[in-house]
Amino acid sequence: EKGGYATFMEKEIFDQPHAVGDTLLGRTDETGRLVLDELRISEEQLGNVDRITVVACGTAAYAGMVAKYAIEHWTRIPVEVALAHEFRYSDPIVNERSLVVSISQSGETMDTLMAVKHARELGALTISVCNTHGSTIPRESDAVLYTHAGPEIAVASTKAFLAQITACYVLGLYLAQLRGGAFADDAQAVMKELHEVPAKIEDLLGTMDRVREIARFMADTRSVLFLGRNVGFPVAMEGALKLKELAYIHAEGFAAGELKHGPIALIEPGLPVFVVVPGPDSPHDLHKKVVSNIQEIRARGARTIVIAQEGDEDVVPFADEVIRVPQTSPLLQPLLTVVPLQVFALHLSTAKGLDVDQPRNLAKSVTVE
Ligand code: F6R
């Protein structure tokens, strides 16, 4: 049942081209227009939405953070991301014009379920992005957009994460299409590019040997940092979470722009730092800014492991290791950049002789608050 792989997690990582491809399947018509009849929410009702709140926990919340950057850019609708357990016991600004999108692989996470119920009480429209048919959260929501990752067995989430991001892109692009005009034209172009991503993930997965070697050399490492910006920021957080869960190593992900506001004090000779570099075509000179962050930490002795697009030569002088990912447009990059971080955590866990599929203290679905 592991299909020739040593662990479920490895199998699930290698399943990711399908997780993304299947989540896109059937969601456009022959002209490339997005069709989400399955939502069974009228266009009028969706058109009425003036703010979106994403509620989720853990990895699913990082998918929500990626969604925020993308949906705000594509639709100009404000998007907030709340950890479900924080949302539930705060005084959230949510009303009849709010759309609350929950993200959950299992559909059974109690914290997320409570947040959805709370949102409904406040009058919000609720959509569940979920991987498990017939589970509780979709049943308690107004509508569901299923991710088609297939069953995820390993406790740590991998393919469900990519499928969640994909489903959120689809939802965001659909909302953009509803807005019409230039929004709709842009949505079609992005959707076309999104369809090319599964093949790129496949190519990327074929180049992970060096990542495995790096992980093997690092079996004794005690602490690892992850830096990213914009959509690379949640990717950095997810890279750190995978390492905590699977290899029991202290790991922290943060926004690269925060470095000088504190975390740079942590940099010492030999400290491994992964940097998720925005593509050179990213807006606001983000690429240049992150390259200069790499330069700063390298000058202080960090061991820099850089995730950069093919063809990006600017990173080379400051990188101890460069891990290449295929080119795609800036907002879609998380579907590629997170893959080497998952593979790294998998192999570091294996190198330490740990149980990759069943890390200590964790359960696949957290059904208590
Ligand atoms: C991380 C992980 C958890 C889950 C979180 C939410 O690898 O698996 O952080 O993402 O517990 O679970 P779901 O998506 O089932 O609501």
Side-chain angles (χ1 to χ4, degrees), residues 141-337:
S141 303
D142 295 304
V144 53
L145 188 60
Y146 281 109
T147 49
H148 295 149
E152 193 178 62
I153 310 294
V155 166
S157 189
T158 53
K159 64 176 182 174
F161 179 60
L162 265 67
Q164 286 161 350
I165 294 174
T166 304
C168 289
Y169 287 155
V170 166
L171 181 62
L173 294 169
Y174 181 69
L175 294 171
Q177 181 176 286
L178 290 182
R179 301 209 77 172
F183 287 105
D185 296 343
D186 290 349
Q188 288 235 352
V190 178
M191 200 58 199
K192 229 171 125 194
E193 239 203 303
L194 196 47
H195 278 289
E196 292 164 7
V197 171
K200 292 179 182 179
I201 302 172
E202 192 78 61
D203 290 346
L204 175 60
L205 285 166
T207 65
M208 290 291 100
D209 288 355
R210 183 63 191 151
V211 176
R212 190 175 62 224
E213 281 174 34
I214 298 170
R216 283 195 187 145
F217 292 138
M218 285 174 59
D220 296 328
T221 301
R222 307 207 21 198
S223 178
V224 182
L225 301 184
F226 294 79
L227 300 183
R229 261 190 111 121
N230 195 272
V231 288
F233 172 31
V235 169
M237 310 265 274
E238 172 63 4
L241 181 61
K242 290 286 92 95
L243 210 53
K244 291 172 199 169
E245 289 180 297
L246 294 163
Y248 316 149
I249 290 177
H250 169 255
E252 222 184 308
F254 49 88
E258 275 295 286
L259 258 183
K260 59 184 174 301
H261 301 290
I264 198 162
L266 290 170
I267 306 293
E268 56 186 19
L271 180 76
V273 184
F274 280 80
V275 187
V276 181
V277 183
D281 57 338
S282 298
H284 318 296
D285 269 341
L286 286 184
H287 174 263
K288 212 167 104 197
K289 293 188 163 110
V290 173
V291 172
S292 89
N293 290 145
I294 305 173
Q295 193 172 1
E296 281 157 13
I297 59 175
R298 183 86 171 323
R300 290 165 177 79
R303 177 151 180 262
T304 54
I305 305 156
V306 171
I307 318 282
Q309 277 198 358
E310 278 157 12
D312 177 356
E313 295 306 317
D314 300 343
V315 298
V316 174
F318 316 114
D320 291 295
E321 298 282 348
V322 183
I323 299 163
R324 295 290 178 187
V325 295
Q327 292 175 4
T328 189
S329 66
L331 289 168
L332 304 186
Q333 282 163 11
L335 294 175
L336 296 164
T337 51

